[in-house]
Amino acid sequence: MNTGSDERAEVAVASDKAETGGAQSEQGLGSKAPEFIKARRVLHLSWQVGIFIIGLAVVVLGIIMLPLPGPGWVVIFGGMAIWATEFVWAQLVLRWTKRKVTEAAQKALDPKVRRRNIILTSIGLVIVAAIVGVYLYKFGFEMPWNIKNQ
């Protein structure tokens, strides 16, 4: 709350900088709105509402794309990135997601995991090929809904 004392605000700002300066995990959190928008409470609130609505529209579009053709997850993360320009919770979720994706990518590049994945994929392809081969042997190139005697 502004009490009208400029000296007090400078001290508060200086202590905030000193406290957050040492914390690397908190660096970069907060609103990325221009300063003239952050300076006016009503304008900043309407800015946040606009960012939330735009981000929500993008996330909903991504959710719609999940079962349909299109880059659903990429669009959802794009909406989260829009939200992250204004909301700390979205920034934290985005950081957590980036960390988990990086960990999964490093894990997938592990030679033992890659070998296991290649073996499991090969076994799955052999099973699918065997099922398709049995079907073609029994019914030929006939579609399942056109088969008369089952």
Side-chain angles (χ1 to χ4, degrees):
M1 180 176 215
N2 189 0
T3 60
S5 172
D6 291 338
E7 297 167 18
R8 184 102 183 186
E10 291 173 1
V11 171
V13 170
S15 66
D16 287 344
K17 287 180 182 177
E19 289 174 5
T20 59
Q24 288 290 354
S25 64
E26 299 299 320
Q27 185 181 12
L29 293 179
S31 175
K32 307 286 190 282
E35 289 302 321
F36 74 93
I37 290 176
K38 286 195 265 187
R40 293 163 184 85
R41 177 80 175 131
V42 174
L43 188 58
H44 191 229
L45 185 61
S46 59
W47 175 271
Q48 286 180 327
V49 169
I51 293 294
F52 182 79
I53 290 171
I54 292 169
L56 182 65
V58 173
V59 167
V60 167
L61 185 66
I63 291 171
I64 291 171
M65 284 186 193
L66 284 176
L68 300 175
W73 284 110
V74 173
V75 174
I76 290 172
F77 291 131
M80 288 297 296
I82 291 171
W83 279 339
T85 63
E86 202 54 40
F87 303 108
V88 173
W89 61 267
Q91 292 169 358
L92 295 175
V93 168
L94 216 52
R95 284 184 182 182
W96 179 84
T97 304
K98 286 178 184 178
R99 188 174 64 248
K100 290 298 180 182
V101 167
T102 303
E103 289 172 6
Q106 289 174 348
K107 193 177 198 182
L109 293 176
D110 181 30
K112 291 180 183 177
V113 174
R114 289 182 68 198
R115 190 176 316 115
R116 182 197 66 202
N117 289 345
I118 290 172
I119 290 170
L120 289 175
T121 303
S122 300
I123 290 171
L125 287 174
V126 167
I127 291 171
V128 168
I131 291 171
V132 169
V134 168
Y135 178 85
L136 289 175
Y137 176 75
K138 189 169 183 179
F139 301 109
F141 286 104
E142 197 67 32
M143 291 294 164
W145 50 84
N146 292 335
I147 298 174
K148 302 290 185 232
N149 296 330
Q150 293 182 4

